Amino acid sequence: MSVSALRTESPGAASPRGPQASSRRRNANRAHRREAAFGWLMISLSALTILVFTAAPIVFTFVLSFFSWDIISPPEFVGLQNFVHLSSDTAVIHSFGVTALLAVLIVVLQIVIGLAMAILVQQRVSTWARSIFRTAFFLPLLVSAASISIVFSYLFDDHFGVINYYLQVLGLPQMQWLSSPGGATATIVIVAVWQQLGFVFILFVAALGSLPKDVLEAVSIDGSGPIRTFFSIKLPLISPTIFFASVIGLINAMQIFDQPYVMTKGGPGDATTTTVMLIYRTAFQNIQFGYGSAISVVLFVVLLAITGLQFYISRKWVFYS
Amino acid sequence: MSTATKTQAGVAGAPRLRGSHVVTRKVWRGVGLVLLIIIAATFVLPILWTVSTSLRTPAESFSNPPQWFPLAPVWSNYSAVFEQVPLATFFLNSVIVTGLIVVLQLITSTMSGYAFALVRFRGKGAVFAMVLATMMVPAQTTIIPIFILIRYLGLSDNLWSLVVPAIGGAFGTFLMRQYFLQMPGELAEAGRVDGASNFQIFSRIYVPIALPPMATLAVLNFSAYWNEFFRPLIFLQSTNNFTLPVGLVSLQGNFGTGSISIVLAGVVVALIPSIAIFLLAQRYFVEGITAGSFR
């Protein structure tokens, strides 16, 4: 009781004198120390698991990338050999190309369609319609990417798939969805966009909903049409959200694994073998932990560079009010 | 398009343009509604197809045209998926793993988020910087050392291999800290005057008012770990330890030439808890998604 009561008055007090004051200061110190110990205790579990299972593995990945290791025999230091090998390994270079193509297509489509949907929903004022659409767009986010990839691999099957059936009914040419390189790429993009669109959509609905009403009213009184208002007023105002969605989207899409693993196994050939799929194969199927780590390091650095670049570019076009 | 050019031209003819505006706006709205319905349909139809095909007979499940509404539902696929494959085991494994992670992270993130926001102690800036830095780290790039660590801890092919690395979460810590930062520090002072200990101030004063962000964290983590595929695929080897996503994908292989309706019944079973939680806590899902986006 007394300790805590004294503690509240001590911090601001200007150097009090006398034996009472020094014991008061000692009590205050003790309370501070107790609070510090309490703070460390409170963060210990989180900090420890994050340190051991996230921070240390980053360092460990870098270290491993200088070794050759099959987990059975002891690791062997090989210097930069993994990276030298990697720089001329067509499988690695190709996987980065595949991943970049998928990621750019996914992110651009997500943002364009997600923004279009948010604008459309904004204009339909009735709230019941809005909540129905919101639930519909949200539904795919609840399904695991693995499950949804199973579903879409049936829907897009070349022979008995529903998509090709309806293309035929409409008199359109049937597509080789999963058995041709272009078709497999398109299918993976469709599945990824379909699944994550709800996320982008909700971000944009929130951003459009928080635009300053007085500005929009003033603009509409000035006689600006809806299209012009959108491009010269709304778009700049929501540019931070577009930026956020593109950074998060690109980082996620560059790590794409579940959809190609389930739907195409990286094929046909290596047309949809993404970098993470290659890391998975190298490390966990060919048991090359050192080389797998070297590819991970390159992916890590590429992702870091993309994020940095996006932040740099954003200074030119993102408008923070 | 024409609207934009007209507006640019017309200062003088403003009243006439107003009228045409109303008409074009109505047309735009009609077009917009049709577009919206089409987009919403493309979102719902694959899931509708999944449910209705899971209720067709295995023999019919391949045949086109698809049946969009299960007029004569065949429920036997649902018993088949439990009898022919260990779906109940997959389900239980998913419940154990997801449940443990959600509860443990709720405890650790609330504690650490509170301490980072409201407790004064030296060194917390540095530790929080580490937490923030790891939030940016792509999980897939550190999977090899984590796998090795799991092996050395003797947790390979064990459900704990999924739980232990996820006891603490950088995102959860960050989310809870942001929330506690908005709370008044005077509440703690009042508690101290009343003689409450540091932990009592946390557990009796701050936790009760932090329940909404805790719910947000819980639903987001549920969704993430219930649907997780990458780590379980790598850490688990025996079928009896599979969680639902890994189990369902392994099922796809077994039934690749047989029936898709049984596989789809499994997909529907896996989806039911997610939809139930979404319907119960829709608000927290939406809040969680928007939480990260505003500086």
Side-chain angles (χ1 to χ4, degrees), chain B residues 67-68 78 97-98 114 119 130 137 173-174 179 193 209 258 268 284-285 290:
Chain B
Q67 187 184 44
W68 290 103
Y78 283 85
V97 169
T98 312
Y114 171 80
V119 180
M130 177 200 80
V137 174
T173 300
F174 177 75
Y179 188 79
V193 173
I209 47 176
V268 173
Y284 300 113
F285 269 102
T290 41

Side-chain angles (χ1 to χ4, degrees), chain A residues 35 38-39 42-43, chain B residues 108-121 124 173 176-178 180-181 183 188 192 197-203 205-207:
Chain A
E35 189 175 347
F38 170 71
M42 290 281 278
I43 64 164
Chain B
T108 59
S109 297
T110 308
M111 284 169 66
S112 58
Y114 171 80
F116 281 127
L118 295 173
V119 180
R120 278 161 294 193
F121 61 101
K124 80 171 176 181
T173 300
M176 292 312 296
R177 174 183 174 269
Q178 292 305 98
F180 283 121
L181 276 180
M183 291 190 186
R192 284 205 182 86
S197 71
N198 283 317
F199 188 76
Q200 282 169 335
I201 291 169
F202 164 69
S203 64
I205 299 176
Y206 282 96
V207 170

Side-chain angles (χ1 to χ4, degrees), chain B residues 238-277:
Chain B
S238 37
T239 313
N240 279 339
N241 287 330
F242 283 174
T243 54
L244 275 168
V246 183
L248 288 173
V249 170
S250 75
L251 231 172
Q252 186 204 18
N254 285 336
F255 285 78
T257 51
S259 151
I260 61 173
S261 52
I262 294 179
V263 181
L264 292 174
V267 169
V268 173
V269 170
L271 183 57
I272 289 169
S274 299
I275 291 190
I277 288 189

Side-chain angles (χ1 to χ4, degrees), chain B residues 13-82:
Chain B
R16 195 176 55 83
L17 279 175
R18 274 290 147 69
S20 79
H21 252 162
V22 173
V23 176
T24 39
R25 200 167 284 179
K26 273 188 179 161
V27 172
W28 274 112
R29 285 207 170 174
V31 172
L33 185 63
V34 171
L35 263 176
L36 259 185
I37 291 171
I38 291 172
I39 298 173
T42 61
F43 274 76
V44 176
L45 286 180
I47 293 174
L48 182 65
W49 176 84
T50 307
V51 174
S52 61
T53 307
S54 76
L55 294 169
R56 296 180 90 178
T57 62
E60 275 179 338
S61 61
F62 286 103
S63 60
N64 280 317
Q67 187 184 44
W68 290 103
F69 296 99
L71 299 173
V74 179
W75 294 99
S76 61
N77 294 326
Y78 283 85
S79 51
V81 80
F82 280 100

Side-chain angles (χ1 to χ4, degrees), chain A residues 92-290:
Chain A
V92 174
I93 295 162
H94 184 256
S95 83
F96 273 98
V98 167
T99 310
L101 176 68
L102 285 173
V104 168
L105 287 173
I106 290 168
V107 170
V108 169
L109 286 174
Q110 249 175 28
I111 288 179
V112 171
I113 302 174
L115 188 54
M117 276 163 33
I119 292 162
L120 289 175
V121 166
Q122 271 258 311
Q123 296 195 329
R124 304 300 313 169
V125 221
S126 70
T127 35
W128 65 268
R130 194 176 297 182
S131 77
I132 286 176
F133 287 128
R134 191 161 78 176
T135 310
F137 298 148
F138 213 97
L139 208 53
L141 282 175
L142 303 173
V143 196
S144 79
S147 292
I148 218 60
S149 300
I150 296 174
V151 170
F152 274 76
S153 67
Y154 294 145
L155 287 173
F156 280 91
D157 188 273
D158 288 355
H159 306 296
F160 64 83
V162 173
I163 306 287
N164 267 353
Y165 169 76
Y166 280 113
L167 286 178
Q168 194 189 23
V169 168
L170 293 171
L172 296 167
Q174 299 200 333
M175 296 271 291
Q176 285 191 299
W177 289 109
L178 291 166
S179 56
S180 72
T185 306
T187 311
I188 289 169
V189 170
I190 290 169
V191 175
V193 171
W194 182 84
Q195 178 152 41
Q196 285 148 25
L197 211 52
F199 171 74
V200 181
F201 167 77
I202 284 177
L203 287 184
F204 286 138
V205 166
L208 288 169
S210 66
L211 291 180
K213 294 247 166 20
D214 47 340
V215 173
L216 296 179
E217 265 166 34
V219 171
S220 119
I221 288 164
D222 286 349
S224 166
I227 293 174
R228 183 151 172 237
T229 308
F230 174 73
F231 281 105
S232 52
I233 307 290
K234 289 185 182 171
L235 204 58
L237 282 173
I238 61 167
S239 57
T241 308
I242 297 175
F243 173 66
F244 174 79
S246 65
V247 174
I248 297 285
L250 212 52
I251 290 176
N252 283 333
M254 288 288 289
Q255 299 179 70
I256 190 164
F257 174 84
D258 300 5
Q259 296 88 344
Y261 180 86
V262 175
M263 292 200 298
T264 64
K265 293 277 174 214
D270 56 0
T272 55
T273 304
T274 63
T275 305
V276 174
M277 280 199 75
L278 194 68
I279 293 171
Y280 172 77
R281 271 187 206 160
T282 309
F284 301 109
Q285 291 181 336
N286 303 341
I287 322 293
Q288 295 175 296
F289 282 88

